Amino acid sequence: MPKPLIQTTGRRKEAVARVRLRPGTGQVVINGRPIERYFTIASHRQSATEALRITQTADVYDVDATLDGGGVSGQAGALRLGIARALIALDGELRPPLKKAGLLTRAPREKERGTIEQ
């Protein structure tokens, strides 16, 4: 496997995505599986790869990601943020369209911790 061009991290809720971009043909592999087998729901696949579509780089880079924690929706959001951050690290000119689409904001929501009252 060729060396990654860039490596970034995206988080959403409890999910963490470590994203590596390489020059390629647009193949997306998550935890060793193609995106179609990892995210079986089309809306999750669409959400996760939205940054590539907005910047028209879907067929320029291969994405290799490792996802941990959270649920399926949180993992798709973490992957989306990780890909957007990687694209900006490669080309700063892509920041305005990604920012306008709201793909650079990390939603800080997490599980609310209960307090014990005495």
Side-chain angles (χ1 to χ4, degrees), residues 56-71:
Q56 298 172 351
T57 55
D59 55 352
V60 176
Y61 299 111
D62 285 346
V63 178
D64 179 28
T66 305
L67 295 177
D68 281 326

Side-chain angles (χ1 to χ4, degrees), residues 15-70:
V16 178
R18 289 170 205 70
V19 179
R20 290 165 291 286
L21 285 188
R22 296 178 174 88
T25 58
Q27 186 177 18
V28 180
V29 178
I30 302 166
N31 293 353
R33 293 189 279 177
I35 190 170
E36 295 80 20
R37 287 194 41 224
Y38 194 85
F39 290 123
T40 56
I41 298 173
S43 62
H44 290 148
R45 288 192 300 268
Q46 188 173 0
S47 170
T49 58
E50 188 175 359
L52 294 171
R53 277 193 311 282
I54 287 174
T55 58
Q56 298 172 351
T57 55
D59 55 352
V60 176
Y61 299 111
D62 285 346
V63 178
D64 179 28
T66 305
L67 295 177
D68 281 326

Side-chain angles (χ1 to χ4, degrees), residues 9-12 15-17 19 67 73-83:
T9 302
R11 291 183 181 87
R12 180 167 191 273
V16 178
V19 179
L67 295 177
S73 179
Q75 288 183 350
L79 180 58
R80 181 171 80 166
L81 179 59
I83 291 172

